[in-house]
Amino acid sequence: MESIRQKFTVEFSYPVHFTERLFEIQNTLLADLISHDNSPAPRKILFVIDSGVAEAHPELAKQIEKYIKHYHLIFKWCDAPLIIPGGEDAKNEPDLVEYLLEAVDWMGLCRHSYLVAIGGGAVLDLAGFAASIAHRGIRHIRIPTTVLAQNDSGVGVKNGINAFGKKNFIGSFTPPYAVINDSHFLTTLEKRDWRAGIAEAIKVALIKDADLFRFIRSQAAQLNNRDMKTMQQLIYRCAALHLQHIASRDPFESGSSRPLDFGHWAAHKLEHLTNYTIRHGEAVAIGMALDTTYSYITGMLAKEEWEQVLDLLLDLGFSLYTTDLEQPAHDEDNSPTLMKGLEEFREHLGGRLTIMLLDRIGHGTEVNQMNTELLAEAVRMLKYYNAKSVTIAETVNAHS
Ligand SMILES: NC(=O)c1ccc[n+]([C@@H]2O[C@H](COP(=O)([O-])OP(=O)(O)OC[C@H]3O[C@@H](n4cnc5c(N)ncnc54)[C@H](O)[C@@H]3O)[C@@H](O)[C@H]2O)c1
Ligand SMILES: [Zn+2]
């Protein structure tokens, strides 16, 4: 018997740029980026815009058209941008993948063309997935417009949509051609979307960077007041940590561990249980509160640090508890449906269940099982902690 072992290495590299008002004619970032790609000019470029962004920035589509036509030696104008429903609907409607593929087809885009997506994490996940399967991969540029997408989801290598009631069941690992974070988009975010992305920054701080955690604590008031400079710093540091992590360990997640997904096993389940009425970042805040509490009651984390984490989440306006945490499964063991999130999390990666917990702020530790009774206890503690804070806030408001 003979065999041949095939082996090759592929290097991936992409820039993450930070700018403001990307589509003003005098901002040459996008034109420069594309003019250096060694492809025949002008290149076809298709824009896909999140409907929430299009509504909040009614001038955007026209501005893009003006920009592309101005730099006509670099870009070939194909058609007006496509508007895609913003939010999780984008990932729950499989017809949208087909819609994007049809557009790639009738506009005649090729692997040297560009599909540029402008939007929140959900629209970017959908558009990135469509770009990764059209012609087995056309160039994809992400322009994230939420805090969460700028500091986490938009800068990584994962794309995908939901299926069979499970988050990100269909998807691909395909690095983007480039990412451009334009802070001007953040000015129109709803309060909850401004806040939601801060959860991912707290996440990465808790497992990797105690200094970043201290920074967020010290800047909580500025963040609550929507101070853009503080948010820009936070996004930059958080994006850098995510990028560093992706490059240093298992970028395509072939192992069983997903260290950056602290708090996410419960978060993904909660998003589904709440019918996606809760934002990803809001669910992550609850998931982190849960796993931090579990870390505390299993003796891994000191009480003082446990309280610091919960208090910071509350200070920033996150909830620590929702009744969905206790939704019964109505099956033979009648345990809360939430617990099924553990097995679903394991199944998504394959191999052994691996959950990140905290042994101190800034440092995570992985475990391979969780005790469901202690988890239920952690849920009860969160309910109490959350209610206590709501009562205090109501008392303060009544006296002010
Ligand atoms: N690919 C990854 O690695 C990765 C990582 C983390 C999260 N995610 C995914 O990201 C998604 C969450 O993304 P998100 O938090 O950005 O929320 P989102 O995409 O659901 O958007 C939230 C809302 O904000 C609106 N919006 C977006 N930008 C706006 C702007 N500038 N002004 C006004 N409104 C705006 C949208 O229309 C939507 O209604 C989830 O599906 C999550 O699974 C992916
Ligand atoms: Zn996340």
Side-chain angles (χ1 to χ4, degrees), residues 373-385:
E373 274 166 28
L374 289 179
L375 265 174
E377 172 64 16
V379 169
R380 283 192 290 275
M381 286 169 76
L382 283 185
K383 185 176 182 176
Y384 175 73
Y385 210 102

Side-chain angles (χ1 to χ4, degrees), residues 50-53 56-57 85-88 91 119-123 125 142 145-149 152-154 156-160 162 167-168 185-190 193 196-197 200 264 268 271 279-281:
D50 181 313
S51 60
V53 178
H57 300 264
E88 206 65 25
K91 290 171 68 170
V123 166
D125 274 5
R142 298 201 195 114
T145 57
T146 62
V147 172
L148 187 133
D152 179 338
S153 87
V157 298
K158 295 191 273 187
N159 308 289
N162 308 330
K167 284 278 292 182
N168 307 321
F185 284 117
L186 307 180
T187 57
T188 54
L189 285 175
E190 270 182 42
D193 289 305
E200 299 282 11
H264 275 58
H268 284 159
E271 285 182 78
R279 294 283 198 261
H280 177 73

Side-chain angles (χ1 to χ4, degrees), residues 334-389:
N334 218 23
S335 62
T337 311
L338 173 75
M339 305 304 173
K340 303 212 174 347
L342 281 170
E343 172 53 17
E344 286 172 15
F345 190 72
R346 189 206 63 75
E347 194 179 290
H348 188 63
L349 269 102
R352 216 170 154 199
L353 175 71
T354 309
I355 299 286
M356 177 64 81
L357 295 177
L358 288 186
D359 50 18
R360 61 171 192 274
I361 287 175
H363 192 264
T365 269
E366 288 181 336
V367 297
N368 298 111
Q369 59 183 34
M370 286 184 105
N371 178 314
T372 48
E373 274 166 28
L374 289 179
L375 265 174
E377 172 64 16
V379 169
R380 283 192 290 275
M381 286 169 76
L382 283 185
K383 185 176 182 176
Y384 175 73
Y385 210 102
N386 198 60
K388 201 175 65 173
S389 89

Side-chain angles (χ1 to χ4, degrees), residues 55-251:
E55 269 165 43
H57 300 264
E59 73 299 341
L60 181 63
K62 276 274 158 267
Q63 212 179 13
I64 291 175
E65 181 171 353
K66 220 167 123 194
Y67 189 93
I68 297 304
K69 289 184 173 165
H70 179 84
Y71 293 104
H72 60 92
L73 296 179
I74 300 169
F75 304 108
K76 184 168 166 45
W77 175 249
C78 292
D79 205 344
L82 306 178
I83 311 291
I84 296 286
E88 206 65 25
D89 287 354
K91 290 171 68 170
N92 282 331
E93 181 43 79
D95 287 353
L96 288 173
V97 176
E98 200 159 329
Y99 174 61
L100 292 180
L101 293 175
E102 277 168 12
V104 169
D105 175 42
W106 68 259
M107 289 184 197
L109 302 192
C110 70
R111 288 188 191 160
H112 292 253
S113 316
Y114 293 84
L115 190 153
V116 182
I118 306 174
V123 166
L124 298 186
D125 274 5
L126 160 76
F129 176 59
S132 77
I133 57 173
H135 296 300
R136 297 202 175 101
I138 61 175
R139 291 174 180 163
H140 175 47
I141 296 180
R142 298 201 195 114
I143 303 181
T145 57
T146 62
V147 172
L148 187 133
Q150 294 198 356
N151 71 7
D152 179 338
S153 87
V155 303
V157 298
K158 295 191 273 187
N159 308 289
I161 57 169
N162 308 330
F164 313 119
K166 293 176 184 166
K167 284 278 292 182
N168 307 321
F169 189 87
I170 302 174
S172 61
F173 288 101
T174 310
Y177 184 84
V179 181
I180 306 176
N181 279 340
D182 180 342
S183 56
H184 178 64
F185 284 117
L186 307 180
T187 57
T188 54
L189 285 175
E190 270 182 42
K191 191 172 175 190
R192 65 187 297 202
D193 289 305
W194 172 272
R195 178 197 299 133
I198 305 174
E200 299 282 11
I202 296 175
K203 171 203 75 182
V204 77
L206 284 176
I207 54 178
K208 278 183 175 293
D209 189 341
D211 194 48
L212 180 59
F213 184 80
R214 282 189 286 274
F215 171 80
I216 301 171
R217 273 187 89 199
S218 68
Q219 300 297 311
Q222 285 83 336
L223 290 168
N224 285 337
N225 291 332
R226 296 188 72 140
D227 179 69
M228 189 58 90
K229 278 266 164 308
T230 310
M231 184 55 98
Q232 283 168 330
Q233 283 176 39
L234 184 71
I235 287 174
Y236 187 92
R237 287 179 72 168
C238 180
L241 281 166
H242 274 99
L243 289 166
Q244 208 181 58
H245 177 87
I246 291 167
S248 66
R249 283 181 56 178
D250 198 14

